[in-house]
Amino acid sequence: MNFKDLGLSEALLKAIDKKGYTQPSPIQEKAIPEVLKGKDVLASAQTGTGKTAGFTLPMLQLLGKKGEHQGKRKIRALVLTPTRELAAQVQENIREYSEFMHIRSTVIFGGVNQNPQVRTIQQGIDILVATPGRLLDLCTQGHINLRDVEFFVLDEADRMLDMGFLRDIERVMKLLPARRQNLMFSATFSGEIKRLAHGILNDPVQVEATPENSTVDLVSQKVYRVDQKRKIEFTIKLISEGDWDQVLIFTRTKHRANRLSEQLTKNGITSAAIHGNKTQGARTKALKGFKEGTIRVLVATDIAARGLDIPLLPHVVNFELPNVPEDYVHRIGRTGRAGASGEAISLVDITELPYLKSIERLIQLSIKKSVVEGYEPKDDTPPDASKPGGRGKSRKKS
């Protein structure tokens, strides 16, 4: 199947061809026809599966069919995302795919001056991409009116809930008209997600790109049992001896991300950390340097990294295992994309063994484990499985 078979317009096909794409991904192949029929859609798709084009392309086609506006444009489509980085990337996709159409779009998020965003909105736009906080701020101030929205997309809904945005989502829903088409994308179909979908979607079609919580087949997974106090030293050893050029490392906390990045840089490995305490400018600069190769290592918390579009990423390292097993699937899914092989390495100390067991149960796979001489875990007595590392199971906001 090709994109033309999906019933897309010539203007969109021209933009797709310019980007060099020839065949739709599984999520695009399943979602696009349903959206074009005007159906509400609940889609399970991880970052890196082409999900953004899965809603952007049919959304643009449906909006384009309405013809050009007479007078000032009104916001006809709203895309809500959990993070600034994802919002910016979605807007970039919309801009590229609408290049040969008379559609105007913009993105708004916090952490930057609102005035340029307000000026753009006041000039008239068709599509608004937004994070919840800035959107509600500008609605409260009277700068944004959502009464004419025909198309609503909730992207990465599971991360929205993780980040505590449920009330904000509910507030946004009250500002939207009752008659509209809705799309909801989530990496998983948890009970929480299905309950949220019930309140937003109307008789939705459910589509999945891959089996729920599956890991990428092309990703090689490996665990190193490492003493907690030697993890930084061992990470430096892996990167240096492997001569890795592009590595994404995950930590559970912002403090650990900062400390690890500083130690890597001190040892001659260019590195930057991204997390919720970093300014938008710092995050954008770090991501740009990582993509361009001036920064070898990006150290990130789960929330800060969600939605990052980094093609052909060869190495993902779990400096610390996530305490929610589904997050492991999201993390390692950032490598092994677009048909390329990838490697996911986890450094596991004695306190993280219960986390590892939960992950293996979820992915239904026993991950190969190794111990490197000189870095052996000091204590081989597993802790209470109900209290990994003495931290319990609470999720840290990042």
Side-chain angles (χ1 to χ4, degrees):
M1 177 178 282
N2 57 40
F3 282 101
K4 192 170 185 179
D5 296 328
L6 296 177
L8 296 173
S9 68
E10 287 301 321
L12 288 171
L13 292 173
K14 188 176 178 181
I16 292 167
D17 184 63
K18 185 175 178 179
K19 284 178 69 70
Y21 299 142
T22 55
Q23 291 184 311
S25 69
I27 191 63
Q28 293 163 4
E29 192 173 314
K30 293 177 181 180
I32 290 174
E34 300 296 342
V35 179
L36 289 177
K37 291 176 190 174
K39 302 267 191 176
D40 281 13
V41 173
L42 174 60
S44 173
Q46 296 176 21
T47 299
T49 57
K51 68 180 174 65
T52 303
F55 63 77
T56 297
L57 291 170
M59 175 177 70
L60 287 168
Q61 176 138 327
L62 292 174
L63 293 176
K65 280 184 176 179
K66 301 288 179 98
E68 291 189 47
H69 274 264
Q70 300 298 318
K72 183 180 176 182
R73 295 170 186 257
K74 297 177 180 178
I75 299 171
R76 294 186 290 152
L78 171 65
V79 182
L80 204 59
T81 73
T83 67
R84 311 169 216 174
E85 286 81 9
L86 182 58
Q89 287 164 22
V90 170
Q91 160 59 11
E92 179 64 13
N93 272 266
I94 292 172
R95 188 190 63 78
E96 291 173 343
Y97 288 129
S98 63
E99 181 178 354
F100 305 105
M101 302 176 70
H102 298 288
I103 295 280
R104 289 183 187 171
S105 60
T106 195
V107 61
I108 61 171
F109 45 72
V112 296
N113 190 316
Q114 73 173 37
N115 293 333
Q117 298 176 355
V118 170
R119 283 195 293 271
T120 303
I121 292 167
Q122 289 175 341
Q123 291 167 7
I125 57 167
D126 301 289
I127 303 172
L128 178 64
V129 184
T131 52
R134 178 54 58 93
L135 175 65
L136 289 169
D137 282 347
L138 296 188
C139 286
T140 301
Q141 294 173 42
H143 296 304
I144 290 178
N145 183 339
L146 300 177
R147 289 196 299 267
D148 295 289
V149 168
E150 305 163 15
F151 207 100
F152 174 60
V153 181
L154 186 62
D155 196 11
E156 303 220 348
D158 52 329
R159 184 57 58 175
M160 288 276 199
L161 295 183
D162 289 346
M163 294 174 69
F165 283 135
L166 178 58
R167 284 192 176 180
D168 285 347
I169 293 170
E170 291 171 345
R171 288 176 62 195
V172 170
M173 300 306 299
K174 291 177 181 178
L175 301 174
L176 298 174
R179 289 179 60 84
R180 60 180 191 273
Q181 186 175 357
N182 306 282
L183 307 182
M184 199 166 124
F185 283 75
S186 172
T188 63
F189 285 157
S190 66
E192 275 188 309
I193 289 299
K194 288 176 179 175
R195 283 192 293 275
L196 179 62
H198 182 72
I200 295 175
L201 308 179
N202 179 33
D203 191 23
V205 174
Q206 187 168 306
V207 298
E208 294 183 69
T210 56
E212 185 174 350
N213 295 328
S214 68
T215 51
V216 182
D217 292 336
L218 291 171
V219 178
S220 169
Q221 301 175 63
K222 189 172 184 178
V223 164
Y224 283 106
R225 294 290 316 285
V226 184
D227 183 57
Q228 198 275 332
K229 294 180 180 178
R230 307 289 300 279
K231 278 191 178 185
I232 291 179
E233 183 184 344
F234 188 72
T235 302
I236 293 167
K237 171 185 170 70
L238 282 176
I239 296 170
S240 299
E241 293 184 0
D243 197 25
W244 295 348
D245 286 329
Q246 196 178 41
V247 191
L248 178 59
I249 301 180
F250 284 97
T251 63
R252 274 199 299 268
T253 67
K254 293 172 271 195
H255 171 74
R256 190 63 55 83
N258 286 337
R259 184 163 178 267
L260 176 56
S261 179
E262 290 166 4
Q263 290 298 316
L264 290 171
T265 301
K266 285 180 181 178
N267 282 272
I269 299 171
T270 52
S271 172
I274 61 168
H275 50 68
N277 284 359
K278 294 284 185 178
T279 65
Q280 183 60 34
R283 290 160 75 157
T284 301
K285 182 180 178 182
L287 181 58
K288 184 173 185 287
F290 187 62
K291 286 184 174 181
E292 293 177 350
T294 57
I295 292 174
R296 288 174 67 185
V297 179
L298 195 63
V299 187
T301 55
D302 287 292
I303 290 174
R306 190 64 178 268
L308 293 183
D309 182 17
I310 307 167
L312 305 179
L313 179 64
H315 306 287
V316 169
V317 175
N318 294 300
F319 186 82
E320 298 166 303
L321 287 181
N323 53 1
V324 176
E326 287 83 1
D327 284 348
Y328 175 84
V329 178
H330 302 324
R331 288 181 179 187
I332 74 165
R334 297 180 180 284
T335 185
R337 294 183 182 180
S341 60
E343 182 178 39
I345 289 175
S346 300
L347 311 185
V348 180
D349 67 37
I350 190 65
T351 71
E352 296 171 296
L353 288 180
Y355 295 151
L356 180 59
K357 288 179 182 178
S358 296
I359 289 165
E360 289 179 326
R361 279 197 299 269
L362 178 71
I363 65 176
Q364 298 182 337
L365 177 71
S366 178
I367 306 171
K368 181 181 177 183
K369 301 165 187 69
S370 301
V371 176
V372 175
E373 187 176 352
Y375 296 90
E376 301 91 339
K378 297 300 183 187
D379 179 6
D380 221 22
T381 305
D384 182 348
S386 67
K387 297 179 181 178
R391 303 178 192 86
K393 291 192 177 183
S394 63
R395 182 193 297 268
K396 287 184 178 290
K397 295 284 179 82
S398 305

